[in-house]
Amino acid sequence: MSNENKSIHEFDFNLICEYFASVERQGPGSREVTLKALSFIDNLNEHSRIADLGCGTGWQTILLGEHVPGEIFGLDLFPDFIDILNRNAGLHHLQNRIKGIVGSMDDLPFEKETLDLIWSEGAIYNIGFQRGLNEWREYLKKGGYVAVSEVSWFTDWRPAEINDFWMDAYPEIDTIPNKAGQMQKAGYVPVANFILPENCWIEHFYAPQVEAQEIFLRRYAGNKVAEDFIANQRYETQLYYKYKEFYGYVFYIGKKI
C-alpha cells in the first residue's frame, strides 16, 4: 500500500495529535461559519449548558463563549488539546464559563437530558454521524439543539479516485439530503444545513499547515511514520483542490423533539 492510499486511522494517534496541536484549527471551518450555525439556535440563556464534543484546541469553543451565555464544556480525547483550550479560556477571561475536559464522545460525562446544545465541528466522524446523533440525543433536553459539521457529497456521482479515498477514510460519507434524513430519523427537526465555503478549507485549514508540515518534518527527520503521515496530509490537500466541487463540509443543525 502506498503512502498516498493510507487512511489517517493507520497512523500513530499521538503523532497526529502533536501535529494538529501545532495549528490553530484541526479541521475546516471559520469564525463566520461558526457564528452562522449559531444564528439558528435560539434557546440559550445564562443557565444553559453547552458541550463542544471533539473540541480540539477549542478555537470555536472560545468563540461560542464570546457569543452565547451559559456554561460551556469542551471535551476531547487528547490532553494537550484540552490544556491549550483551558489556557486560552483564561486568556480570554472565560475560565469561569468554559471548562475543558479530557474524555471520549462515546462515553459522555454528563447527566441525561441536561444539555441545551451539543456542538461538534468536524469531529462527529470519530464516532459516526448516525451513532453520534442517536447517542447524543439522550443528553439533550427536549427542545435542545445539536449542531455538527460533517463531510458530505455534493453530487450523486463523483470520480472513482475521490470516491474511493473517502469511502476508505469515512464510509459514512453521504449526500446532504441523506444526512438530513438521518438527522430527522434520529429524532430531530432538521432546522438548517449549509455548505462551508471553500475558504474554510483553503485559508483556514490547508494554508496554515504548509509551514507546520515543514517544521514537523524537520523535527522527525528520517522518521518514516512521520514522513508518511505528512505525505498523506499533502495527498488529501491535493485531492481537495482537484475535486472540491464534489464534496466538502456541511453544517447540520437539528432540534430535539
Side-chain angles (χ1 to χ4, degrees):
M1 179 179 278
S2 72
N3 302 342
E4 294 182 348
N5 292 327
K6 278 191 177 180
S7 163
I8 194 169
H9 304 297
E10 295 175 53
F11 293 103
D12 179 74
F13 177 74
N14 290 314
L15 201 68
I16 294 170
C17 291
E18 181 188 336
Y19 171 74
F20 279 112
S22 70
V23 289
E24 186 176 76
R25 298 197 66 92
Q26 288 74 52
S30 71
R31 174 186 178 87
E32 292 75 22
V33 158
T34 297
L35 294 179
K36 181 176 179 177
L38 197 55
S39 73
F40 293 101
I41 294 156
D42 59 11
N43 66 333
L44 302 177
N45 57 50
E46 64 271 17
H47 303 297
S48 296
R49 287 165 55 87
I50 299 160
D52 182 5
L53 306 182
C55 64
T57 57
W59 187 94
Q60 72 291 330
T61 323
I62 300 294
L63 191 60
L64 291 174
E66 291 175 336
H67 286 83
V68 296
E71 190 175 16
I72 302 174
F73 304 94
L75 181 137
D76 202 278
L77 204 56
F78 192 54
D80 284 8
F81 287 173
I82 294 301
D83 289 344
I84 292 169
L85 167 59
N86 284 327
R87 186 165 66 246
N88 286 336
L91 292 172
H92 288 82
H93 308 292
L94 292 166
Q95 67 273 17
N96 293 331
R97 294 204 297 115
I98 292 179
K99 181 182 179 184
I101 304 169
V102 177
S104 174
M105 59 174 63
D106 61 4
D107 184 23
L108 299 182
F110 309 110
E111 296 292 321
K112 301 288 177 71
E113 299 189 350
T114 60
L115 298 175
D116 297 275
L117 170 62
I118 290 179
W119 198 270
S120 186
E121 291 199 32
I124 194 172
Y125 75 89
N126 287 297
I127 189 174
F129 187 77
Q130 293 184 76
R131 181 185 170 196
L133 290 179
N134 279 296
E135 292 187 5
W136 297 351
R137 185 180 181 277
E138 298 178 19
Y139 294 89
L140 286 170
K141 298 174 185 173
K142 185 176 180 180
Y145 285 83
V146 64
V148 301
S149 62
E150 165 86 338
V151 67
S152 306
W153 295 127
F154 298 159
T155 60
D156 286 329
W157 176 89
R158 46 262 162 199
E161 183 180 25
I162 193 61
N163 186 77
D164 293 350
F165 174 84
W166 276 107
M167 290 305 291
D168 175 60
Y170 184 51
E172 268 201 71
I173 187 171
D174 211 331
T175 60
I176 297 170
N178 286 348
K179 290 285 184 185
Q182 290 164 5
M183 176 170 272
Q184 185 169 328
K185 190 175 181 181
Y188 303 88
V189 176
V191 173
N193 61 65
F194 63 91
I195 294 171
L196 275 63
E198 289 179 12
N199 73 334
C200 291
W201 293 75
I202 296 167
E203 293 173 32
H204 300 294
F205 186 50
Y206 288 140
Q209 289 189 55
V210 174
E211 184 181 0
Q213 287 169 358
E214 295 300 330
I215 294 168
F216 195 77
L217 287 173
R218 286 198 296 271
R219 183 183 304 144
Y220 288 102
N223 181 322
K224 180 127 186 357
V225 175
E227 290 170 354
D228 284 357
F229 172 65
I230 296 302
N232 188 78
Q233 290 302 113
R234 289 173 172 171
Y235 179 58
E236 182 188 311
T237 304
Q238 291 165 8
L239 287 177
Y240 180 75
Y241 279 99
K242 190 174 179 182
Y243 296 116
K244 60 185 187 300
E245 66 266 33
F246 294 100
Y247 73 98
Y249 264 82
V250 177
F251 236 113
Y252 298 91
I253 298 103
K255 186 174 186 177
K256 178 179 174 177
I257 53 174

